[in-house]
Amino acid sequence: MDKSLLSKSLLGASFTLLVVGAGLLLWPTSWQSNAPVAQSSPTRQSAGPIADKADVPSPEHLQERNQPQTLQSTTALLQAGDSLSRTLNRLGVNNRQIAELLQVDEEQVLSSLKPGQRLTAEILTPANDLQRLTLSETREQSHVFTQTDQGFRYQLQITPMETLLAYKEVVIQNSLFVDGVNAGLSDKLLAQVTDIFRWDIDFALDVRKGDRFALLFEEKYIDGEKVATGNIIAAQFVNNGRVFEAIRYQAGERTDYFTRDGLSLRRAFIRSPVDFTRVSSQFNPNRLHPIFKTTRPHQGVDYAAPTNTPVQSAGDGKVSFVGEMKGYGNTVIIDHGQGYTTLYAHLNGFTDNLIAGRNVSQGETIAYVGQTGWATGPHLHYEFRINGAYKNPETVDIPYDSPMSKEELMAFLPYAQILSKRLRGSHSRGFSEYLARLDR
Ligand SMILES: [Zn+2]
């Protein structure tokens, strides 16, 4: 409606007669929906200039000549136990059309409704004629039944999800999670941060005020609306002046995080294979034994932990011993290949089916903390050997996980350079200056 027409219509008393109900009408199409007058007669619309009062038909006359049809859209969120016919009846779909829908439902999406799905019926009223039925399975995927001259037509509708890279940086004042959430990052994303850098940073003990991190991560959009966050693609963490960088990359079968130089952030061994409360006895080749009061080397490290705390395999390997050993009590030994073995002693028990010869993977629970054998309290005695020589588990150089092949590395390096550049290009001035000061 043009402005002059609108102002005239507001002045014309005859106009109020033409308002015959609310709702989105299929006609007339040229009127703006936000106009103060909801609808008018077709005569007025086609006539152009405002007609005389005498030319305006009465509302009753209008109904007869041209029954106004409203397209009403109603949505039902499916609950457990909702049946198709009952739900469609509730939405106003008649039984004849339900039967027609079922005839074309070859994928049987309507006959296998699930709680959480949404059914939207668009019905022309008062004719009570279903125009379109939409079953929304997810935000991305819908099943659409549209009325045509040949009955209903089924269509699977996929709404493409757009993935964009977002950037965030956080300076830690309280804790990684508190400051991260305040910066608008989700718990899930923050858990990814600790997971990526856990090999280099002990997040329970090492993180301090002033540490900071920067992330490039995926955000998923549908029709311009953010619906999810995805993976961290590149990240930097500055811990106590040490800068760590991680780039997500698929090398062969595995997707993992790598340094800019292509080293896996993941190590071949977990540093401490139990969630311990404290180190109750250090590795010490000249220790005075607490029970025998003689100089007996302590060939491992003791981690105090409550009885039955799970003990994990420090790395991938094969069980070479399960059972009781004098002094050690219940013990597991794992052979990791290439000369590496680990030993776990004073265990309260083993996981089911843990037998010699079985393969175990890094982080897999193999046993539970106890105090069997010569032990003064519940703890895990843990040994780390390379080619038979005892090493201090707390300080031994732990090798990186299996490196990339030469071909993978050739493909990775230029990719990593681009992402690293993009990450640095996104830094705030404060973040860049902080990094520059560390470099000096
Ligand atoms: Zn010990």
Side-chain angles (χ1 to χ4, degrees):
M1 170 192 284
D2 70 63
K3 279 217 173 82
S4 63
L5 193 62
L6 176 65
S7 58
K8 274 184 199 164
S9 72
L10 287 170
L11 293 171
S14 62
F15 238 74
T16 50
L17 289 171
L18 297 170
V19 180
V20 290
L24 177 65
L25 294 188
L26 294 180
W27 65 270
T29 51
S30 64
W31 296 83
Q32 286 178 1
S33 59
N34 62 349
V37 177
Q39 51 183 272
S40 187
S41 75
T43 22
R44 176 169 301 280
Q45 193 189 358
S46 55
I50 295 283
D52 287 337
K53 195 172 181 175
D55 293 341
V56 177
S58 71
E60 296 75 26
H61 183 60
L62 206 75
Q63 292 275 343
E64 278 166 28
R65 278 216 332 225
N66 197 346
Q67 173 115 340
Q69 294 288 332
T70 309
L71 190 63
Q72 282 185 345
S73 172
T74 322
T75 298
L77 175 64
L78 292 165
Q79 315 283 336
D82 278 352
S83 79
L84 176 71
S85 55
R86 200 152 15 102
T87 308
L88 288 180
N89 283 158
R90 192 148 50 92
L91 292 174
V93 183
N94 63 53
N95 288 332
R96 176 180 58 80
Q97 288 192 310
I98 293 176
E100 284 173 20
L101 286 167
L102 286 172
Q103 268 176 19
V104 298
D105 183 23
E106 281 169 15
E107 306 291 322
Q108 303 208 316
V109 292
L110 291 178
S111 43
S112 54
L113 296 179
K114 289 171 198 74
Q117 295 179 335
R118 281 168 199 278
L119 263 178
T120 301
E122 290 162 72
I123 298 176
L124 216 50
T125 24
N128 193 24
D129 186 16
L130 177 70
Q131 299 295 299
R132 185 158 50 184
L133 182 73
T134 306
L135 172 65
S136 305
E137 206 166 285
T138 59
R139 296 199 64 140
E140 299 102 295
Q141 184 167 314
S142 299
H143 308 278
V144 184
F145 298 82
T146 314
Q147 201 192 96
T148 68
D149 294 342
Q150 290 87 40
F152 285 104
R153 188 170 53 97
Y154 166 77
Q155 225 179 352
L156 174 66
Q157 188 179 303
I158 306 283
T159 311
M161 204 149 59
E162 197 184 359
T163 302
L164 299 176
L165 271 194
Y167 173 81
K168 270 270 164 47
E169 62 183 43
V170 175
V171 179
I172 295 172
Q173 302 294 345
N174 305 289
S175 77
L176 179 133
F177 276 88
V178 168
D179 297 307
V181 167
N182 284 344
L185 297 170
S186 67
D187 285 357
K188 203 180 117 204
L189 211 62
L190 293 166
Q192 274 189 49
V193 174
T194 58
D195 200 49
I196 292 168
F197 293 106
R198 77 197 144 106
W199 303 96
D200 293 299
I201 301 167
D202 182 339
F203 282 93
L205 302 172
D206 292 348
V207 175
R208 56 197 66 201
K209 194 172 167 176
D211 278 2
R212 59 200 69 202
F213 59 96
L215 310 175
L216 277 177
F217 58 99
E218 296 169 325
E219 281 186 333
K220 314 253 180 198
Y221 287 82
I222 291 180
D223 292 335
E225 189 192 342
K226 190 170 92 178
V227 292
T229 52
N231 294 305
I232 291 173
I233 299 302
Q236 270 176 321
F237 202 107
V238 189
N239 170 234
N240 194 21
R242 300 178 304 162
V243 184
F244 299 98
E245 192 164 337
I247 310 279
R248 183 184 169 88
Y249 191 69
Q250 185 177 351
E253 293 286 286
R254 65 179 170 148
T255 300
D256 218 330
Y257 289 88
F258 299 88
T259 67
R260 252 191 301 169
D261 304 324
L263 289 173
S264 174
L265 265 73
R266 186 183 296 281
R267 303 296 205 281
F269 299 97
I270 301 171
R271 179 66 73 182
S272 42
V274 68
D275 192 3
F276 60 97
T277 49
R278 69 197 163 87
V279 171
S280 50
S281 185
Q282 306 273 359
F283 177 84
N284 181 355
N286 306 307
R287 179 182 74 152
L288 190 68
H289 193 274
I291 292 177
F292 299 106
K293 310 289 179 201
T294 53
T295 305
R296 288 173 68 115
H298 189 227
Q299 313 279 31
V301 63
D302 289 351
Y303 295 111
T307 300
N308 287 332
T309 303
V311 174
Q312 298 159 344
S313 174
D316 294 346
K318 188 176 271 191
V319 177
S320 60
F321 179 85
V322 184
E324 223 181 307
M325 280 174 90
K326 195 184 173 198
Y328 281 68
N330 290 328
T331 300
V332 176
I333 300 175
I334 294 173
D335 184 347
H336 303 281
Q338 297 180 317
Y340 287 86
T341 55
T342 53
L343 177 147
Y344 313 77
H346 308 309
L347 302 165
N348 196 34
F350 314 107
T351 49
D352 293 342
N353 308 320
L354 193 82
I355 50 165
R358 223 198 83 186
N359 287 316
V360 288
S361 45
Q362 185 180 63
E364 183 180 331
T365 297
I366 50 171
Y368 303 95
V369 170
Q371 58 178 99
T372 56
W374 300 332
T376 50
H379 73 278
L380 172 72
H381 171 89
Y382 175 56
E383 292 180 6
F384 193 100
R385 290 189 220 179
I386 303 176
N387 297 322
Y390 295 98
K391 300 288 174 186
N392 183 349
E394 291 191 288
T395 56
V396 65
D397 266 343
I398 290 182
Y400 284 99
D401 204 4
S402 49
M404 286 189 202
S405 69
K406 202 171 175 185
E407 292 74 33
E408 285 167 345
L409 195 62
M410 295 300 279
F412 170 79
L413 291 175
Y415 170 80
Q417 206 169 29
I418 291 168
L419 274 181
S420 186
K421 215 176 196 170
R422 174 141 181 201
L423 187 64
R424 280 154 211 278
S426 307
H427 286 158
S428 69
R429 204 169 143 190
F431 205 105
S432 302
E433 285 172 358
Y434 184 82
L435 286 181
R437 276 201 301 278
L438 291 176
D439 270 351
R440 257 182 253 135

